[in-house]
Amino acid sequence: MYSVPVPRPGTLIIPEWLQSSDGRDYLTCILRKKKRRTFGLLERPALPPQLPADVASYKVFVCGKSGVGKTSLIAKLCGLEVPTMHHETTGIQTSCVFWPVRPRDSDRPIIFAFQFWDCGESALKKFEHVLPACKEKADAILFLFSFTDRSSFEDVPALISRTMSQEENAARVVIGTKLDQFMHTDVTEQDIRDFQQTWQLPVMRVSLDGGAELADAAPVLNGLAEVLWHRDQITAGLVDIGECRSQEETGDQRS
């Protein structure tokens, strides 16, 4: 259904780079008292001259059925405590996350600036202008489902069709939430594998417990950075789509 192949995790960026001595220097720029700083829409980390880096900004719209954990996911990615009670998001809320990444083909790190847009399902249905505003100039759209709600998983293809047209080139990423509630899961790993094979979309997994540890957010932020970096390289003509598809097919056969 979608023509742009998805990179295998870790092929374009170095996931463990932030644990290195160089990576930790950049990490301190987004921390305050060992916790991640909260940035406003017009703010950005102050990098000293000895830490050169490019900044890549992306708008990311987060959508999904009410109660799947859109606001909780964003809180987790921002390093904030996840809300313990569910409240429908009123209107549109935006949050900024800065994330240092080291591409495998470059010695110069990149600071990914993610601007997450969150909107409650009721507002999307009630006001016709809300969805176009959320999608306008969006670089990626995250489609969420909950591992504890099978209907939210089965609705993902329809959700994608309702939200986007085939002509829109925003990156599509599916995220399963509430993985920590494994005793109540309604979606199996076989379901996920079948979905990925059919729709050729990346599926990330995240727990939504109350922790705000960096390690909890790193896999999703690294994965999102890699998908967007790959899309930009294809758009700029630096990567051949046919070659990427051939590599994906070879990797699938090996796995």
Side-chain angles (χ1 to χ4, degrees), residues 2 26 58 81 139 148 160-161 192 194 213 219 223 225 243 249:
Y2 303 113
Y26 284 87
Y58 297 94
E81 291 296 323
D139 298 288
T148 62
I160 296 174
S161 298
I192 299 298
D194 291 344
E213 299 298 327
E243 181 180 349
E249 292 173 352

Side-chain angles (χ1 to χ4, degrees), residues 13-231:
I13 68 170
I14 305 174
E16 65 277 8
W17 173 69
L18 285 178
Q19 301 172 17
S20 67
S21 57
D22 291 340
R24 285 194 293 269
D25 290 338
Y26 284 87
L27 187 60
T28 57
C29 298
I30 63 170
L31 299 179
R32 175 178 293 162
K33 295 181 179 179
K34 298 183 178 181
K35 293 185 178 180
R36 273 187 292 161
R37 290 180 54 194
T38 301
F39 293 93
L41 293 178
L42 301 180
E43 296 180 302
R44 63 172 50 193
L47 293 173
Q50 67 270 22
L51 294 180
D54 298 314
V55 177
S57 299
Y58 297 94
K59 177 181 177 179
V60 181
F61 173 40
V62 182
C63 66
K65 182 180 176 182
S66 179
V68 296
K70 299 183 293 293
T71 302
S72 296
L73 172 67
I74 294 175
K76 169 97 43 192
L77 299 181
C78 291
L80 304 174
E81 291 296 323
V82 175
T84 56
M85 299 291 292
H86 171 255
H87 297 284
E88 179 81 9
T89 301
T90 57
I92 299 174
Q93 296 184 4
T94 60
S95 306
C96 292
V97 176
F98 289 88
W99 188 248
V101 167
R102 165 77 184 280
R104 289 193 179 277
D105 60 354
S106 174
D107 292 332
R108 188 181 181 90
I110 299 172
I111 306 293
F112 279 78
F114 297 119
Q115 186 182 101
F116 291 102
W117 285 51
D118 177 22
C119 182
E121 187 179 26
S122 298
L124 284 171
K125 292 179 178 180
K126 185 176 181 179
F127 303 106
E128 294 183 355
H129 69 280
V130 172
L131 179 58
C134 290
K135 293 198 307 176
E136 184 180 11
K137 297 182 179 180
D139 298 288
I141 299 182
L142 308 186
F143 300 95
L144 270 60
F145 71 90
S146 168
F147 276 98
T148 62
D149 181 358
R150 186 171 182 84
S151 65
S152 67
F153 171 71
E154 295 176 339
D155 186 54
V156 169
L159 175 64
I160 296 174
S161 298
R162 292 195 303 269
T163 306
M164 301 184 68
S165 65
Q166 289 283 3
E167 293 72 28
E168 293 176 291
N169 67 347
R172 301 159 172 87
V173 177
V174 179
I175 297 182
T177 65
K178 303 184 182 180
L179 186 62
D180 49 301
Q181 300 180 27
F182 62 92
M183 293 295 292
H184 307 285
T185 183
D186 291 329
V187 183
T188 67
E189 283 301 315
Q190 185 61 51
D191 292 330
I192 299 298
R193 287 192 292 269
D194 291 344
F195 176 90
Q196 291 184 112
Q197 183 175 3
T198 301
W199 299 100
Q200 296 298 302
L201 289 174
V203 178
M204 302 180 189
R205 302 158 177 79
V206 64
S207 299
L208 294 182
D209 55 21
E213 299 298 327
L214 196 69
D216 296 331
V220 175
L221 292 173
N222 281 334
L224 183 57
E226 193 158 36
V227 168
L228 287 167
W229 187 243
H230 185 60
R231 188 202 67 152

